[in-house]
C-alpha cells in the first residue's frame, strides 16, 4: 500500500472523503488484503444463520462511531440516530441481550487504551447498559485492543482480572470467551470451542481472536454474503473498510516520521543544551534544543500514548530504570513498547533532558529496531 493512499479497482485514492465507487466483491477483496488479512479457506460456516439484535446494534454503533469520530458529543448524538434507524429496519429482533461484543469496532477505530475505554463506555451508557454490563463492555474492548497489538494471552487475562475484577469462577459469557481464547489456537478452533458454550460466547471469543490472528478474506466475504444484498449494509461495510485504511495510513505515517531518522537515533551521542544569558542578574536554567527528529518522536509518543503507562509497566514487571529499557524492548510487544515510550516522553515534564538521555543511551534506537508497524497501526 503506497504511503498515504489506498487502491480500489486499480485507482488511487487519498482519503475516505473522496468519491469512491460502490464496493464490489473484487474491490472488497483487494481492500481487505491491503488491511493485512490473510487469503485462504477456512471451513467455519457449516450451519444456517439468523441475523441477531446484537449484530444489528454492532452495525449501528460502527456507523455512529465513524460519523462521530474523535468527538464525544457528536458520537452520543450519532448513536441515538443510528440505533433508531437500524432498529426500525429490523423491528422484530430481540435487542435485550446486552452483549459486550457490540462495541468491538471501538477497539479498531481508536488508537490508545484511554480512548478505547472512553468511547466504549459512552457506547454502553448510550445503549442503556447498567454498571456491570458497562464494565464488561469496557473489558471486552480492552481485550480486543490488546489482542490486536499482539499482547501475550496470559497478560491479557491478567490485565482484565486486575482492572475489572473478573473472577473466572462463576463465569460470565465474557469470562468464558476469554478462557476459550487463551486455551485454544487459531480462529477455527476458538470459534468452534466457544460456539459449544453459546452464541454470545462465540461472538466475544471470535472478536478477540480476530485481533490476535486476523480473519481471512474468505471468512469476511462469506459473512457479508450472509448479511444479504442490503445496499445500506454494503455501503456501511465499504465506509468502514475505507475509514480503517485511512486511519492506518495516518498511523503508519506518524511512525515513519521517526523511523526515517533511524541513522540519527542510532548515532546521536549529544543533544545541544542552550543556556540563556542572565536577566537582571537572575540566572536562567538551560534547556534542551530538540530538533525535528526528536520532535517527531514526541509527536509519535503522544499519538500512540498509553495513558496508564505506569500500570502497564507494572503489568509486565518492568521498573522505571532507563538503563534496562533496551533489554526490556528486545523481546516486547507493542503494548509494552508504547508504555516505555510514553513514560520517557511524559517524564520530560518533570526532568528536562530525559528524552535526550534516552536517545544517547540507545533506547530509542532499540525501540525503532523492534517496532512492528503492522501491529502498531492495526
Amino acid at each position: 500500500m503506497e504511503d498515504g493512499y489506498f487502491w480500489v479497482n486499480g485507482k488511487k485514492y487519498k482519503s475516505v472523503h473522496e468519491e469512491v465507487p460502490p464496493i464490489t466483491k473484487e474491490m472488497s477483496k483487494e481492500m481487505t488484503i491491503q488491511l493485512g488479512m490473510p487469503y485462504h479457506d477456512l471451513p467455519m460456516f457449516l450451519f444456517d444463520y439468523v441475523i441477531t439484535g446484537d449484530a444489528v446494534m454492532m452495525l449501528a454503533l460502527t456507523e455512529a462511531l465513524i460519523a462521530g469520530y474523535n468527538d464525544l458529543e457528536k458520537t452520543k448524538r450519532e448513536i441515538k440516530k443510528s440505533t433508531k434507524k437500524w432498529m426500525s429496519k429490523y423491528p422484530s429482533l430481540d435487542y435485550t441481550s446486552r452483549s459486550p461484543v457490540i462495541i468491538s469496532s471501538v477497539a479498531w477505530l481508536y488508537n490508545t487504551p484511554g480512548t478505547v475505554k472512553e468511547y466504549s463506555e459512552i457506547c454502553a451508557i448510550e445503549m442503556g447498559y447498567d454498571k456491570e454490563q458497562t464494565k464488561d463492555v469496557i473489558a471486552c474492548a480492552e481485550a480486543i485492543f490488546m489482542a490486536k497489538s499482539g499482547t501475550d494471552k496470559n497478560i491479557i487475562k491478567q490485565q482484565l482480572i486486575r482492572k475489572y475484577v473478573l473472577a473466572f469462577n462463576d463465569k460470565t459469557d465474557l469470562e468464558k470467551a476469554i478462557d476459550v481464547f487463551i486455551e485454544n489456537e487459531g480462529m477455527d478452533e476458538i470459534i468452534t470451542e466457544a460456539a459449544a458454550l453459546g452464541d454470545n460466547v462465540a461472538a466475544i471469543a471470535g472478536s478477540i481472536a480476530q485481533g490476535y490472528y486476523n480473519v481471512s478474506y474468505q471468512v469476511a466475504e462469506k459473512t457479508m454474503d450472509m448479511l444479504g444484498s442490503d445496499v445500506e449494509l454494503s455501503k456501511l461495510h465499504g465506509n468502514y473498510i475505507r475509514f480503517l485504511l485511512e486511519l492506518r495510513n495516518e498511523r503508519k505515517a506518524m511512525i515513519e516520521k521517526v523511523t526515517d531518522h533511524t541513522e540519527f537515533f542510532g548515532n546521536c551521542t549529544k543533544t545541544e543544551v542552550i543556556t540563556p544569558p542572565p536577566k537582571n542578574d537572575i540566572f536562567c536554567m538551560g534547556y534542551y534544543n530538540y530538533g525535528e527528529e526528536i520532535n517527531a518522536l514526541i509527536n509519535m509518543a503522544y499519538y500512540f500514548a498509553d495513558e496508564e503507562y505506569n500500570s502497564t509497566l507494572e503489568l509486565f514487571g518492568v521498573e522505571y530504570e532507563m538503563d534496562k529499557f533496551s533489554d526490556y524492548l528486545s523481546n516486547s510487544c507493542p503494548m509494552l513498547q508504547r508504555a516505555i515510550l510514553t513514560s520517557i516522553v511524559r517524564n520530560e515534564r518533570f526532568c528536562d533532558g530525559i528524552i535526550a538521555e534516552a536517545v544517547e543511551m540507545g533506547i530509542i534506537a532499540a525501540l525503532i529496531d523492534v517496532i512492528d508497524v503492522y501491529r502498531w497501526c492495526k
Side-chain angles (χ1 to χ4, degrees), residues 31-98:
M31 294 168 69
T32 309
I33 290 173
Q34 286 185 60
L35 285 173
M37 298 164 89
Y39 188 77
H40 56 81
D41 291 315
L42 290 175
M44 298 172 64
F45 299 94
L46 304 177
F47 307 102
D48 291 334
Y49 78 99
V50 291
I51 190 167
T52 65
D54 286 336
V56 172
M57 286 299 95
M58 185 185 294
L59 294 168
L61 289 176
T62 299
E63 181 179 70
L65 287 162
I66 292 172
Y69 189 71
N70 262 342
D71 185 328
L72 276 174
E73 294 306 315
K74 186 176 181 183
T75 297
K76 292 177 185 178
R77 295 193 299 270
E78 292 294 336
I79 290 172
K80 290 182 175 69
K81 184 169 73 174
S82 290
T83 52
K84 181 179 179 180
K85 180 183 82 175
W86 287 95
M87 287 174 74
S88 65
K89 190 175 178 66
Y90 296 94
S92 62
L93 299 180
D94 177 13
Y95 295 101
T96 61
S97 75
R98 296 289 192 261

Side-chain angles (χ1 to χ4, degrees), residues 180-226:
V180 171
F181 164 67
I182 289 172
E183 293 166 5
N184 295 278
E185 291 294 333
M187 288 290 296
D188 265 4
E189 187 176 316
I190 288 171
I191 292 178
T192 300
E193 292 294 323
L197 301 175
D199 293 345
N200 192 37
V201 177
I204 298 169
S207 291
I208 300 171
Q210 176 189 2
Y212 199 82
Y213 293 106
N214 290 326
V215 176
S216 73
Y217 168 73
Q218 283 84 348
V219 172
E221 180 184 50
K222 178 65 175 176
T223 303
M224 288 307 297
D225 285 345
M226 292 166 73

Side-chain angles (χ1 to χ4, degrees), residues 98 122-130 133-134:
R98 296 289 192 261
I122 285 297
C123 288
I125 291 170
E126 292 300 316
M127 293 294 292
Y129 282 28
D130 64 26
Q133 291 166 341
T134 298

Side-chain angles (χ1 to χ4, degrees), residues 261-280:
H261 298 295
T262 299
E263 184 176 353
F264 168 84
F265 289 111
N267 298 324
C268 183
T269 57
K270 187 173 180 60
T271 302
E272 180 185 10
V273 179
I274 295 178
T275 305
K279 291 184 179 179
N280 300 323

Side-chain angles (χ1 to χ4, degrees), residues 133-279:
Q133 291 166 341
T134 298
K135 182 190 76 172
D136 280 356
V137 162
I138 299 170
C140 182
E142 180 156 358
I144 296 169
F145 181 79
M146 294 174 72
K148 77 186 182 77
S149 299
T151 308
D152 181 87
K153 290 183 176 185
N154 290 313
I155 291 286
I156 295 174
K157 183 173 181 177
Q158 187 180 336
Q159 174 80 325
L160 298 181
I161 292 172
R162 188 172 69 157
K163 286 185 69 174
Y164 304 103
V165 201
L166 301 184
F168 290 92
N169 42 36
D170 184 17
K171 293 181 183 178
T172 64
D173 281 353
L174 174 62
E175 291 166 343
K176 292 175 185 175
I178 292 166
D179 273 346
V180 171
F181 164 67
I182 289 172
E183 293 166 5
N184 295 278
E185 291 294 333
M187 288 290 296
D188 265 4
E189 187 176 316
I190 288 171
I191 292 178
T192 300
E193 292 294 323
L197 301 175
D199 293 345
N200 192 37
V201 177
I204 298 169
S207 291
I208 300 171
Q210 176 189 2
Y212 199 82
Y213 293 106
N214 290 326
V215 176
S216 73
Y217 168 73
Q218 283 84 348
V219 172
E221 180 184 50
K222 178 65 175 176
T223 303
M224 288 307 297
D225 285 345
M226 292 166 73
L227 292 175
S229 57
D230 189 306
V231 174
E232 201 160 6
L233 274 177
S234 178
K235 180 181 177 182
L236 174 56
H237 173 246
N239 285 342
Y240 182 49
I241 294 294
R242 289 195 292 264
F243 201 77
L244 283 179
L245 281 166
E246 184 178 72
L247 289 174
R248 292 183 189 189
N249 278 335
E250 180 179 285
R251 294 164 188 171
K252 181 170 177 280
M254 186 64 67
I255 293 171
E256 287 179 344
K257 287 178 182 177
V258 174
T259 57
D260 283 349
H261 298 295
T262 299
E263 184 176 353
F264 168 84
F265 289 111
N267 298 324
C268 183
T269 57
K270 187 173 180 60
T271 302
E272 180 185 10
V273 179
I274 295 178
T275 305
K279 291 184 179 179

